[in-house]
Amino acid sequence: MVGGGAREHTLVWKLAESPKVKEIYAAPGNAGTARLAQNLDIKSEDIGALLKFARDNRVELTVVGPEAPLAAGIVDLFLANRLHIFGASQAATEIESSKVFAKELMQRHGIPCAASASFADFAQAREYVQRQKPPVVIKADGLAAGKGVIIAESIEDAEKALSSMMEGRSFGAAGEKVVIEEYLHGREVSFFVFTDGRTVVPTVPACDYKRIHDGNRGPNTGGMGSFSPPPFFNPALGHIIGQTIMEPTVLALADEGRSYKGVLYGGLMITNHVPKVIEFNARFGDPEAQVVLPRLRTDLVDIMLAVIDGRLEQMNIEWSEEACVGVVMASGGYPGTYRTGFPVSGLEDVDAEVMVFHAGTRVSPEGQIMTAGGRVLTVAATGRDLAEAREKVYRNISRIRFEGCQYRKDIADIK
Ligand code: AMP
Ligand code: GLY
């Protein structure tokens, strides 16, 4: 397992359920994966060291959680060395790593998305933005850890954002090119599919919460909570998303010689019942994976091997009808500066049916679990409906403590 967040802990937990799995390594993992796997002191971007480890230890299946190693070409490297790996190739990952590529692909193939234009020249970008009606959405082209998107409420703010990205390099090289797009109103949903490049099989939809504070206030984060399924979702909408977005995108990538294998993540806005793409990602979402994977009934190893071998058509993937809610516990100060190294207490007081997925945690030499990152834990539970799952999470989350801990109180609080 490549990665060290709560998404990766969830994947390790799910993989460990498979009778096919004998031993798991996590690189670098966290205190949660350490219970199910052997953590390795290898960073998830160090694809050379990962290759060496996988070869030396005859690893039979490698699963990639985050985007950085995919964008660095880990899948191509492993395949060239005849190793089994679950994830998208470098060329296919451009659907996430270059917003300009993703937009142009959608435009070439008629996939519904926000109207937009791409620019490498500041003067031209400014001229375009001056002709738009606010709000205007400005996106850095490259990977910016979820922070490269600015929603400008006025043309003046839009010009400032362009200037800081393109002239001030506020996102480094990621902002050399920008996409300027129309603001989509509606409900946002994260829609994941498994695909082997031909067959596309949906998972269950989820919603996440990007802002730090209750009521969707404050700065954006990596994600503060999630739930599945969204109450506004129905099978007809899922069908439309498959037919108009996910399947055409997989076919488009195959047509352009970038066959996509793995999990494709559609970040969608449902605008007047019409789904449109906000962005694609080449992996599971975090914290969405923490509420999607607990609903999976089918052996995840079987699914991954079918994806790798191009046999997904033969798989029957089953999901539980239950709802799942996940709430992220973060360090005080996150997503700004925060301190780490505080002991986490109360983990043993959590009800057995409640899942605690670790992100920024480590085990001290004395065996104590310590905070080690911005997002520390995702506490998740399933229930007959969202209300029941939510109640279980919040009843348990207050038993877990660390200095400065913050979490949102309104996750899945749907009126
Ligand atoms: P992204 O990194 O592209 O997912 O953008 C981050 C967040 O900005 C999204 O999850 C949306 O909430 C918001 N966003 C991005 N693009 C748009 C858009 N065209 N219209 C409305 N909201 C958007
Ligand atoms: N939850 C948003 C992401 O994983 O990109």
Side-chain angles (χ1 to χ4, degrees):
M1 182 72 229
V2 179
R7 166 183 52 209
E8 287 75 27
H9 183 191
T10 312
L11 283 161
V12 165
W13 166 78
K14 204 68 204 172
L15 291 167
E17 281 182 357
S18 170
K20 293 197 167 64
V21 170
K22 278 187 288 195
E23 205 174 347
I24 305 179
Y25 302 99
N30 55 42
T33 64
R35 297 198 184 163
L36 300 162
Q38 188 180 321
N39 286 349
L40 304 175
D41 190 14
I42 305 176
K43 292 208 173 62
S44 55
E45 298 83 28
D46 191 352
I47 66 175
L50 291 167
L51 173 67
K52 182 171 186 325
F53 183 88
R55 282 167 92 176
D56 292 351
N57 294 276
R58 298 172 191 276
V59 172
E60 286 170 288
L61 172 63
T62 299
V63 178
V64 187
E67 62 276 15
L70 296 171
I74 189 172
V75 170
D76 311 73
L77 182 67
F78 274 49
L79 291 179
N81 285 275
R82 289 203 248 113
L83 289 165
H84 285 87
I85 184 162
F86 180 85
S89 69
Q90 189 172 37
T93 299
E94 270 198 57
I95 198 154
E96 169 165 6
S97 60
S98 167
K99 291 198 195 269
V100 171
F101 169 74
K103 271 286 171 184
E104 292 178 355
L105 180 88
M106 289 187 270
Q107 281 156 2
R108 280 195 293 278
H109 296 270
I111 293 157
C113 58
S116 73
S118 312
F119 297 92
D121 179 75
F122 173 66
Q124 284 175 12
R126 190 167 69 178
E127 206 252 315
Y128 177 86
V129 106
Q130 284 165 347
R131 287 186 276 119
Q132 304 306 307
K133 260 201 320 220
V136 183
V137 182
I138 310 221
K139 301 184 172 182
D141 174 51
L143 293 178
K147 296 178 187 97
V149 175
I150 290 170
I151 297 173
E153 301 294 343
S154 67
I155 298 305
E156 202 191 336
D157 285 354
E159 290 182 57
K160 277 191 205 144
L162 281 179
S163 161
S164 83
M165 273 188 205
M166 301 185 84
E167 297 188 311
R169 294 290 159 94
S170 51
F171 297 105
E176 272 170 24
K177 284 195 252 172
V178 298
V179 176
I180 301 174
E181 68 180 29
E182 81 178 295
Y183 182 84
L184 296 175
H185 296 270
R187 293 178 188 274
E188 209 172 329
V189 60
S190 301
F191 195 87
F192 309 96
V193 297
F194 290 111
T195 177
D196 59 7
R198 284 183 304 164
T199 303
V200 175
V201 181
T203 73
V204 287
C207 291
D208 78 341
Y209 290 78
K210 292 224 161 51
R211 306 292 199 94
I212 185 74
H213 297 307
D214 286 16
N216 298 324
R217 290 175 300 109
N220 270 332
T221 68
M224 292 301 291
S226 53
F227 61 85
S228 173
F232 59 85
F233 210 86
N234 57 56
L237 180 56
H239 188 73
I240 294 172
I241 292 170
Q243 299 276 304
T244 64
I245 295 175
M246 304 311 286
E247 290 173 26
T249 300
V250 168
L251 290 179
L253 286 162
D255 264 4
E256 298 198 2
R258 297 171 189 255
S259 175
Y260 194 104
K261 284 179 182 237
V263 170
L264 179 62
Y265 166 150
L268 313 177
M269 191 69 89
I270 317 299
T271 303
N272 296 323
H273 304 286
V274 179
K276 292 186 181 177
V277 177
I278 294 178
E279 63 162 354
F280 282 113
N281 292 317
R283 51 171 174 83
F284 271 117
D286 183 339
E288 293 96 321
Q290 293 92 300
V291 297
V292 166
L293 291 169
R295 300 186 58 203
L296 177 61
R297 289 244 185 277
T298 306
D299 187 324
L300 183 56
V301 175
D302 285 340
I303 298 171
M304 290 180 164
L305 293 177
V307 165
I308 291 169
D309 297 343
R311 293 184 280 104
L312 196 55
E313 201 182 13
Q314 297 158 22
M315 284 292 301
N316 178 27
I317 302 181
E318 290 180 19
W319 298 90
S320 114
E321 291 294 319
E322 286 193 315
C324 192
V325 172
V327 177
V328 172
M329 301 182 84
S331 297
Y334 175 82
T337 52
Y338 53 83
R339 288 168 58 204
T340 61
F342 298 116
V344 181
S345 65
L347 290 168
E348 57 292 337
D349 302 328
V350 170
D351 295 341
E353 59 171 340
V354 170
M355 301 163 278
V356 180
F357 298 119
H358 291 228
T361 63
R362 64 180 173 82
V363 187
S364 76
E366 296 77 36
Q368 168 66 45
I369 291 176
M370 313 290 281
T371 66
R375 290 191 293 171
V376 176
L377 303 167
T378 304
V379 180
T382 55
R384 270 168 311 188
D385 53 21
L386 287 173
E388 187 184 275
R390 172 173 201 281
E391 197 274 322
K392 285 185 200 170
V393 171
Y394 281 108
R395 179 154 33 91
N396 281 272
I397 202 168
S398 54
R399 300 177 193 165
I400 305 172
R401 291 202 170 80
F402 54 88
E403 196 174 313
C405 154
Q406 53 168 340
Y407 59 88
R408 280 181 64 159
K409 313 286 187 298
D410 64 344
I411 303 301
D413 184 9
I414 295 146
K415 303 262 164 32

